[in-house]
Amino acid sequence: MTQNPNLAALSEAGVSVWLDDLSRDRIKSGNLQELIDTRSVVGVTTNPSIFQKALADSDTYDDQISELAERGADVDATIRTVTTDDVRNACDVLRPQWEASDGVDGRVSIEVDPRLAHDTDKTTQQAIELWKIVDRPNLLIKIPATEAGIPAIASTLAEGISVNVTLIFSVERYRAVMDAYLEGLERARQAGHDLSKIHSVASFFVSRVDSEVDKRLEKIDSDEARGLLGQAAVANARLAYAAYQEVFEGGERFEALKSDGARVQRPLWASTGVKNEDYSDTLYVTELVAPNTVNTMPEKTIEAVADHGAINGDTVTGTGSEAQQVFDKLQGVGIDLDDVFIVLENEGVEKFEKSWSELLEETQAQLDSANK
């Protein structure tokens, strides 16, 4: 099988293509392997919404849930078993990519229970538990970048566990995430862990920024405001990349860890499916091409890039001042960006909590059905 040229060009430009979806059907049918073979996919991300949809849409889980029901498993234990089994199997499918990239790619992410997003200690405990249950070196534990999540990120990394930091919306919070990563590595080194084995990505959410800012620009309804539609998300991500370069390309604190094998914490562009039909469906891919990044995409976006995504090399490096000008203009027309990011983080946690509740309900219904 040959790789799609557009996605291969994206990979060659330094962007790792990850699939933002997982289901048992996708693994069993060979679809995940096909995406690896033909679409340059070298990683997988999951979240509560993805698992809720997987269980609701498929009968592939019925036998396992029936078996767990017979054993008397409660709904939380059932979800933990089902989701960690899928993630472990996906880790095994991606093992060759993990080996070929010296551990950089071939990664599969699983998220801590979103109901713990505001509890540091319980988030850390569950991160350690999930790491042990899945028991694969190419796993990433997803922890949200909430205020309570930041110290949990450092503590989890200090245990030698690789982390995908999720729900990052602002550059300010991203800086706190990078600090937590460096602190975690410093503590891991002190504890005697091999820093070269600890990996992390920082998932910076993209499309939701445009959705929220555009809504506010439309309310302002001036020519200047309308001229800024669809610009906030890319500008925000480009400012994040400038912050990444500042910390990881010559930053003193990271340089002190690098000699002990520390890896950079790569920016990961998440929420890259375009929500506004007026915009190009590859906008959050083609405009965010930069070395040492990850773009995790729903399959629909992967196929759009495969079909007509024009990859013309690095579109991010050196764009920081231009991106700052966009932010200055947004604030100039009355957009409160601090409020935008607070709203988005709160909504992000709420959405995942809602999906988790739906996952609990769906699983409980299947357990009840199996017990009849």
Side-chain angles (χ1 to χ4, degrees):
M1 290 190 187
T2 56
Q3 296 289 359
N4 172 270
N6 294 346
L7 290 155
L10 188 62
S11 301
E12 283 158 21
V15 182
S16 293
V17 178
W18 290 7
L19 171 69
D20 190 30
D21 191 47
L22 184 64
S23 68
R24 194 160 294 179
D25 286 340
R26 201 182 272 285
I27 297 168
K28 285 190 164 185
S29 68
N31 171 263
L32 177 57
Q33 186 61 55
E34 186 182 344
L35 291 172
I36 293 166
D37 294 338
T38 67
R39 295 294 184 262
S40 297
V41 167
V42 290
V44 167
T45 49
T46 68
N47 60 44
S49 303
I50 284 168
F51 281 128
Q52 187 272 330
K53 188 173 185 302
L55 263 79
D57 291 356
S58 173
D59 57 9
T60 317
Y61 299 92
D62 292 358
D63 290 346
Q64 185 178 24
I65 290 173
S66 295
E67 188 185 319
L68 289 163
E70 280 175 31
R71 284 195 231 153
D74 65 15
V75 67
D76 286 301
T78 300
I79 288 171
R80 188 164 54 248
T81 301
V82 167
T83 57
T84 54
D85 280 1
D86 278 4
V87 168
R88 186 183 306 108
N89 289 334
C91 281
D92 290 343
V93 173
L94 282 151
R95 183 79 181 226
Q97 285 65 42
W98 178 76
E99 289 172 351
S101 64
D102 189 26
V104 173
D105 284 312
R107 296 274 168 179
V108 184
S109 298
I110 189 169
E111 189 152 349
V112 294
D113 184 334
R115 294 172 297 179
L116 307 178
H118 303 297
D119 189 320
T120 301
D121 291 341
K122 285 183 179 173
T123 292
T124 308
Q125 286 165 16
Q126 194 179 82
I128 294 167
E129 180 187 19
L130 287 169
W131 182 258
K132 287 176 178 172
I133 291 171
V134 175
D135 191 26
R136 292 294 185 271
N138 50 332
L139 179 68
L140 289 173
I141 304 293
K142 280 179 92 172
I143 299 175
T146 54
E147 286 185 13
I150 297 294
I153 291 157
S155 295
T156 303
L157 289 159
E159 297 287 333
I161 294 169
S162 296
V163 173
N164 175 345
V165 184
T166 189
L167 284 179
I168 308 170
F169 293 98
S170 71
V171 175
E172 182 185 11
R173 184 58 58 86
Y174 178 42
R175 287 188 181 279
V177 166
M178 291 189 285
D179 281 345
Y181 176 63
L182 296 173
E183 181 195 328
L185 289 183
E186 287 159 355
R187 286 164 57 186
R189 179 172 61 182
Q190 205 170 357
H193 291 290
D194 180 351
L195 298 192
S196 70
K197 300 283 192 284
I198 303 171
H199 288 254
S200 184
V201 292
S203 294
F204 209 83
F205 278 51
V206 185
S207 67
R208 293 185 197 180
V209 174
D210 269 344
S211 298
E212 182 64 27
V213 171
D214 283 1
K215 187 169 66 179
R216 298 181 185 211
L217 288 169
E218 280 161 3
K219 277 185 185 171
I220 294 166
D221 196 27
S222 67
D223 288 344
E224 197 177 356
R226 281 191 293 273
L228 292 166
L229 289 168
Q231 292 188 40
V234 168
N236 195 37
R238 287 174 171 176
L239 286 169
Y241 191 75
Y244 156 81
Q245 289 183 295
E246 192 184 306
V247 171
F248 291 106
E249 294 180 6
E252 281 182 29
R253 198 170 166 198
F254 179 67
E255 286 300 311
L257 291 158
K258 204 171 164 185
S259 57
D260 287 311
R263 314 287 193 127
V264 300
Q265 181 188 49
R266 292 186 295 168
L268 178 152
W269 312 129
S271 182
T272 54
V274 175
K275 293 177 172 60
N276 187 327
E277 289 180 2
D278 293 338
Y279 304 154
S280 162
D281 56 1
T282 62
L283 173 67
Y284 304 129
V285 180
T286 58
E287 295 305 308
L288 294 176
V289 178
N292 276 328
T293 59
V294 179
N295 197 310
T296 189
M297 309 176 219
E299 189 172 12
K300 185 179 176 186
T301 304
I302 288 176
E303 290 307 321
V305 175
D307 182 62
H308 53 265
I311 309 302
N312 299 307
D314 189 339
T315 53
V316 177
T317 304
T319 60
S321 58
E322 188 186 322
Q324 186 58 53
Q325 285 172 21
V326 172
F327 266 38
D328 292 344
K329 286 176 185 174
L330 287 166
Q331 287 171 315
V333 298
I335 299 295
D336 183 345
L337 289 165
D338 289 339
D339 184 65
V340 166
F341 298 133
I342 290 165
V343 166
L344 286 171
E345 182 181 304
N346 290 338
E347 281 182 358
V349 173
E350 283 167 19
K351 279 177 185 172
F352 282 165
E353 281 180 349
K354 183 172 181 285
S355 294
W356 196 260
S357 296
E358 289 169 358
L359 177 57
L360 287 166
E361 287 168 19
E362 176 72 31
T363 308
Q364 187 63 60
Q366 292 190 32
L367 285 170
D368 291 345
S369 175
N371 279 321
K372 280 179 184 174

